[in-house]
Amino acid sequence: MKNNFFDRFKPKENKFFPLMSEMAQIILVASDLIIECVQVTNHNDAVEYYKKIKEQERKADAIQNKIFEELNETFITPFDREDINHLSSTMDDVTDLINSCAKRIMLYSPKVMPEAAIRLAMFVRESAGFLVQAIDELDILKKSTTKIKEYCEQLGVIEKKADDVYEHFLIDLFENETDAIEVIKLKDILHELERATDASEAVGKIIKTMIVKYS
């Protein structure tokens, strides 16, 4: 007969790694959708993409809640509880920000999306790709850190590129856009994309801290 009490003392790596890997895949799907969302030309399409991205955001929230529950129910975890929770909640932030961008596009219906929006969305997608690879390396982090370090470094590189694009976009926006309302709309929409790359970099920083602690 299975003894549920003593099961709590067994390592539960298999519970956490698949959940975080699933969350990383959700970020990847949401990032693909936001690339298309920033290129829509009518309100109806914006609504449809927002619905699709919102669905991914809800999935990420559900996984984050599941991880929190597992942390409370599991005695032995592969990493410190605080590290697992911090990592998964920051990954969830990435999806939240992608969703926030899509929501603003739907609500604001900007006249024309700037080319910088596509570039930033591509950076979000590129970051998501490295996030997936980094999370896939977590289960061997204590044995090998070569690849995971490289993936985390790339998240920082992308964030800096996104910052540059966003800054140049702001300069151009304030110099050339005469409609004050459009300035507010576009600044707010693209800021969420830039913040998504910030959150992705933050995930990389958490993993780097874990490397120092556990490798």
Side-chain angles (χ1 to χ4, degrees):
M1 184 176 179
K2 191 173 180 180
N3 191 319
N4 291 328
F5 176 77
F6 287 106
D7 280 345
R8 294 183 68 228
F9 291 86
K10 295 178 182 178
K12 300 293 183 181
E13 286 89 346
N14 290 337
K15 282 189 175 183
F16 297 103
F17 295 135
L19 287 170
M20 287 190 283
S21 180
E22 187 178 352
M23 187 179 287
Q25 289 295 331
I26 287 170
I27 294 171
L28 194 65
V29 172
S31 68
D32 281 332
L33 289 169
I34 199 63
I35 291 174
E36 298 176 25
C37 185
V38 298
Q39 299 180 73
V40 299
T41 56
N42 64 78
H43 180 68
N44 289 336
D45 286 346
V47 171
E48 290 306 309
Y49 275 107
Y50 170 65
K51 288 179 180 178
K52 292 177 183 178
I53 292 171
K54 184 63 179 179
E55 180 182 356
Q56 299 305 313
E57 189 261 347
R58 286 175 177 150
K59 289 180 180 179
D61 284 346
I63 294 173
Q64 171 60 15
N65 291 335
K66 178 66 174 175
I67 290 172
F68 184 77
E69 291 172 4
E70 293 290 354
L71 287 172
N72 286 328
E73 295 174 1
T74 305
F75 190 78
I76 298 175
T77 56
F79 304 108
D80 286 348
R81 281 172 172 73
E82 293 81 3
D83 292 329
I84 295 173
N85 187 60
H86 192 198
L87 177 60
S88 61
S89 64
T90 307
M91 290 172 66
D92 189 38
D93 288 344
V94 179
T95 316
D96 288 343
L97 288 163
I98 294 172
N99 178 72
S100 180
C101 175
K103 184 176 182 179
R104 281 162 169 74
I105 293 171
M106 177 195 68
L107 292 175
Y108 297 167
S109 294
K111 293 176 183 177
V112 179
M113 288 292 286
E115 188 267 341
I118 300 174
R119 294 183 65 190
L120 286 172
M122 292 293 290
F123 283 136
V124 172
R125 173 58 178 79
E126 190 177 357
S127 292
F130 284 115
L131 275 180
V132 169
Q133 294 180 87
I135 296 302
D136 284 347
E137 293 284 316
L138 277 181
D139 60 342
I140 60 168
L141 183 147
K142 297 176 183 179
K143 299 176 183 178
S144 175
T145 62
T146 304
K147 289 183 179 179
I148 199 168
K149 283 180 180 177
E150 180 182 337
Y151 301 145
C152 292
E153 289 298 325
Q154 286 302 313
L155 291 171
V157 170
I158 294 167
E159 190 275 334
K160 288 180 177 60
K161 290 180 180 179
D163 275 352
D164 288 342
V165 169
Y166 183 64
E167 287 170 5
H168 283 91
F169 154 73
L170 288 179
I171 292 169
D172 181 69
L173 182 70
F174 292 138
E175 285 183 352
N176 299 305
E177 180 57 66
T178 57
D179 187 331
I181 293 178
E182 285 300 302
V183 168
I184 294 170
K185 289 179 180 180
L186 294 174
K187 181 178 180 295
D188 201 21
I189 291 169
L190 271 70
H191 188 220
E192 297 305 279
L193 289 172
E194 191 273 332
R195 290 179 65 204
T197 64
D198 288 345
S200 294
E201 184 195 26
V203 172
K205 288 180 177 178
I206 293 168
I207 294 174
K208 283 197 244 183
T209 300
M210 292 168 68
I211 289 171
V212 173
K213 290 176 68 174
Y214 302 110
S215 62

